Amino acid sequence: WLKDRIVNVYVGAEEKRWAVHEKLLSSKSPYFDRVFNGCGEIKGRNELRMPTADPRLFALLVRWLYGTAFATSGGTRIFRFPLPDGKDITVRDYLGLYVLGGKINIVGVRNAAINALYLYWGAETDEVRCPSLHDVQYVFANTDATSHLRRLILAHALFYLFSRKRRSDLLPTEWEEVLKANGEIGWSMIRMLADWRWVMGINAPGMKIKPRQDFHELPVEAP
């Protein structure tokens, strides 16, 4: 693919330009494949404008595209995004990347975002980080009921709620604001609790977040 043609993608209102190998884009995304290799008027197009996309998120996508391609070229290293640090990369960046991956139909980048969030929220450590309910609200506004990210972020919020390591009896301030404004989130949390089948008067068994693979999506095979 390194010998393939280069296409220009202009992102955001400011039309920030990325020069990307076309085959790399098209091999990962049916959306880009249709744009650059489709039929009719758009056949053979060498540029694309995405005025509503966020350049910050598209930069993460390009980082994943090339990082994944080079990581699998004869080596055993697997590309992984760094954990959010609140400065250069935030939780909302990965949430936005997950949403962008859905719009352009790239399952791999959605799973990569899930991996980073899964580790950041502490699924494989004793540290419990509570997702912001504003982030939960963002996820619900930009995904449907089948979203794996919805399940992941709600599970972490509920695990925080019942964690022995929660340092205060008070919930984060935004919980009341968000749950009062969005009944769907509250109902989804209750539905998830019901699925765990805890019984009153019986100590709840030790529970862990399911393995990250349970929150991954599988590529949809072409008909």
Side-chain angles (χ1 to χ4, degrees):
W1 55 264
L2 281 173
K3 297 180 180 179
D4 195 58
R5 66 187 173 116
I6 302 291
V7 295
N8 293 313
V9 183
Y10 299 88
V11 182
E14 63 270 42
E15 294 197 336
K16 186 171 182 179
R17 183 177 71 90
W18 271 269
V20 188
H21 288 87
E22 180 271 316
K23 187 173 291 185
L24 187 58
L25 284 170
S26 298
S27 66
K28 299 293 185 182
S29 166
Y31 168 80
F32 287 122
D33 188 39
R34 287 194 300 270
V35 169
F36 295 117
N37 299 302
C39 300
E41 297 179 357
I42 62 174
K43 187 174 182 179
R45 180 187 291 188
N46 289 315
E47 66 178 33
L48 171 67
R49 283 174 168 77
M50 302 176 67
T52 61
D54 185 338
R56 183 181 179 92
L57 302 182
F58 194 81
L60 287 174
L61 172 65
V62 171
R63 183 176 180 180
W64 176 83
L65 286 169
Y66 284 94
T68 301
F70 282 111
T72 57
S73 298
T76 58
R77 183 176 63 87
I78 299 174
F79 174 82
R80 297 190 187 282
F81 281 120
L83 300 187
D85 59 11
K87 297 178 181 179
D88 296 325
I89 299 179
T90 67
V91 168
R92 186 61 68 91
D93 288 333
Y94 287 136
L95 298 180
L97 180 63
Y98 181 93
V99 172
L100 174 63
K103 292 179 179 178
I104 58 178
N105 198 7
I106 300 184
V107 171
V109 79
R110 285 158 73 88
N111 291 342
I114 286 283
N115 287 342
L117 294 168
Y118 183 91
L119 293 175
Y120 176 78
W121 286 323
E124 295 182 358
T125 68
D126 290 333
E127 183 177 2
V128 178
R129 285 192 176 103
C130 180
S132 165
L133 262 284
H134 289 302
D135 285 338
V136 176
Q137 195 170 34
Y138 171 85
V139 171
F140 270 69
N142 290 281
T143 64
D144 61 30
T146 66
S147 167
H148 293 247
L149 182 57
R150 283 195 184 191
R151 291 195 299 114
L152 179 66
I153 198 169
L154 285 181
H156 277 285
L158 288 172
F159 267 58
Y160 170 81
L161 181 63
F162 291 100
S163 172
R164 293 188 180 92
K165 295 192 175 184
R166 186 155 56 93
R167 297 180 178 178
S168 171
D169 291 335
L170 299 176
L171 291 171
T173 55
E174 80 271 7
W175 278 54
E176 180 178 5
E177 173 191 345
V178 171
L179 292 177
K180 281 185 174 181
N182 193 318
E184 184 184 8
I185 293 175
W187 166 247
S188 297
M189 296 174 84
I190 293 172
R191 179 68 263 176
M192 181 172 283
L193 279 174
D195 290 341
W196 290 350
R197 298 182 182 278
W198 288 349
V199 178
M200 184 180 296
I202 300 176
N203 289 333
M207 294 184 66
K208 292 183 178 180
I209 299 286
K210 291 181 178 180
R212 73 180 77 179
Q213 290 79 7
D214 281 28
F215 300 97
H216 285 179
E217 297 175 42
L218 297 176
V220 178
E221 296 183 1

